[in-house]
Amino acid sequence: MTATKGLEGIVAAKSSISSIIDGVLTYQGINIDELAEQATFEEVAYLLWHGKLPTQSELDGLIAQFGEYAAVPADVIAGLRLYPKGSNSMAALRTVVSSLALFDGEANDMSGESNYRKAVKLQAQLPTVVAAYARIRDGKEPIAPKKGVGIAHNFLYMLTGEEPAQVAIEAMDKALVLHADHELNASTFAARVTVATLSDIYSGVTSAIGALKGPLHGGANEAVMVMLDEIGSLENVEPFIQNKLNNKEKVMGFGHRVYKNGDPRAKHLMQMSRQLGELNGDMTLYEMSIKIEDLVTGQKGLKPNVDFYSASCYTMLGIPRDLFTPIFAISRVSGWTAHILEQYQDNRLIRPRADYVGPVDQHYVPIAKRG
Ligand SMILES: CC(C)(COP(=O)(O)OP(=O)(O)OC[C@H]1O[C@@H](n2cnc3c(N)ncnc32)[C@H](O)[C@@H]1OP(=O)(O)O)[C@@H](O)C(=O)NCCC(=O)NCCS
């Protein structure tokens, strides 16, 4: 037995949710470019769960369900108030999602109907808990969700307490569409491994959030913004990046395990970053990002991934950087739950083997005789 480090190139599941073929990303066979330009996030969530785009009445039904489920139990919000000041926002999200299971009487009901209902509920509730966490952390009172508006709209409203501008809603909605699913990425795989033991959907999503938190996965968008803040100005880009490249340090937001010729989602976020810069009358973050891309792609051949331009977009939307990865989760929970439902449909325990490289033929030595 020989191990494949990082399971690179290993095909570990059959799935009909999203595909990456020859560098083209599709959700249920529809090119992400078309969805980014034309679909709303609610349509995409429906598409991932049902394998088809919704009719108007199906879409209205889903939006109504989101509205019905979006409020979270008061005790869950009370729990958020107990988290220590300065808690990591993804650790907080991981904890609160796990706690949601304790307040859901059907958390362990494994019927298909109940699991679908919980998928919709998790999608409806994640924006509420992220916004509530952010407000409590800032010493403000959480704001109850609205009914009848989309997820992007509701999230921005609950975060700021103000009616978001149409342009902000559209930008957030497009970001959610672009992050919704991505084949067997690390967090989705973690979710599938967890539920393949026939554990519940909350456990699957909690595992996924833990995996998304890492800087090699979802945590990269926040790390990009830390870097942009550290660079601080257009003039500093070149010495900063050159120094990183000379020292063989990773530049966050570049490279990808699957895409070697560029991440198809990045161009949409790059355009959005430019548009938001023009709208705000400040192109600094966009121009810094373009310069970083020129240097990293020029010297290393590495292209930006989905996280690189997300960072400047979210910042220009006025979102604090520690919420970037939780926003990724608000979107990706649609994909995680679609994969969890798919896993339940045709389940087999996921249990690979290890290439053992430790000592052999050892014997137990009584403690008194150990040197
Ligand atoms: C995404 C990522 C984890 C993919 O990793 P991977 O397929 O395991 O690739 P590796 O980390 O083994 O990288 C392969 C080579 O490219 C280099 N490389 C990869 N990403 C790099 C980056 N962002 N900056 C500089 N060099 C990078 C590695 O140093 C390595 O070089 P070497 O062969 O000389 O050692 C990796 O590209 C990365 O860490 N990127 C930064 C984090 C990030 O943006 N993550 C979000 C992904 S959507």
Side-chain angles (χ1 to χ4, degrees), residues 7-28 32 48 178-192 208 217 256-259 265 328 332 334-340 342:
L7 298 184
E8 184 166 3
I10 302 290
V11 177
K14 283 194 184 197
S15 178
S16 62
I17 298 169
S18 64
S19 66
I20 305 167
I21 299 169
D22 297 333
V24 176
L25 171 62
T26 72
Y27 297 166
Q28 297 279 353
I32 187 70
L48 297 174
L178 289 166
H179 286 83
D181 197 43
H182 205 223
E183 202 224 37
L184 223 49
N185 60 89
S187 55
T188 301
F189 187 53
R192 290 189 77 130
H217 189 10
H256 202 276
R257 172 62 65 78
V258 179
Y259 303 116
R265 301 165 296 180
F328 193 152
R332 185 59 60 85
S334 59
W336 291 332
T337 50
H339 279 266
I340 289 170
E342 187 179 57

Side-chain angles (χ1 to χ4, degrees), residues 360-366 370:
V360 292
D361 294 332
Q362 301 292 298
H363 295 283
Y364 179 80
V365 181
R370 289 177 215 161

Side-chain angles (χ1 to χ4, degrees), residues 74-252:
D75 286 346
V76 170
I77 300 290
L80 279 173
R81 296 182 198 276
L82 302 176
Y83 296 174
K85 264 202 172 329
S87 295
N88 176 284
S89 57
M90 282 300 280
L93 183 62
R94 189 188 59 216
T95 308
V96 71
V97 167
S98 183
S99 80
L100 283 172
L102 305 176
F103 295 89
D104 185 342
E106 60 172 1
N108 296 308
D109 181 342
M110 293 300 276
S111 68
E113 211 178 60
S114 170
N115 278 328
Y116 174 68
R117 199 164 37 245
K118 283 174 278 186
V120 177
K121 206 187 257 184
L122 276 158
Q123 178 63 71
Q125 293 186 333
L126 248 65
T128 310
V129 292
V130 172
Y133 159 79
R135 291 188 66 86
I136 289 169
R137 170 203 60 186
D138 292 346
K140 298 179 188 153
E141 275 307 301
I143 291 174
K146 278 186 177 217
K147 288 198 169 152
V149 300
I151 299 259
H153 184 154
N154 221 351
F155 173 66
L156 292 172
Y157 165 72
M158 288 186 285
L159 190 63
T160 62
E162 285 161 20
E163 264 312 298
Q166 191 55 29
V167 62
I169 297 172
E170 282 167 20
M172 178 56 67
D173 194 63
K174 193 183 276 203
L176 296 181
V177 166
L178 289 166
H179 286 83
D181 197 43
H182 205 223
E183 202 224 37
L184 223 49
N185 60 89
S187 55
T188 301
F189 187 53
R192 290 189 77 130
V193 169
T194 297
V195 302
T197 67
L198 295 184
S199 187
D200 65 286
I201 193 166
Y202 287 99
S203 299
V205 171
T206 304
S207 296
I209 294 172
L212 187 73
K213 177 175 179 284
L216 295 189
H217 189 10
N221 56 14
E222 182 180 346
V224 170
M225 199 57 229
V226 170
M227 175 176 78
L228 286 167
D229 282 343
E230 225 176 304
I231 297 174
S233 70
L234 199 53
E235 307 78 72
N236 282 346
V237 167
E238 191 156 357
F240 183 97
I241 295 295
Q242 204 53 61
N243 186 44
K244 268 202 175 303
L245 295 177
N246 293 347
N247 292 332
K248 297 207 176 305
E249 283 173 44
K250 280 193 172 173
V251 182
M252 287 295 144

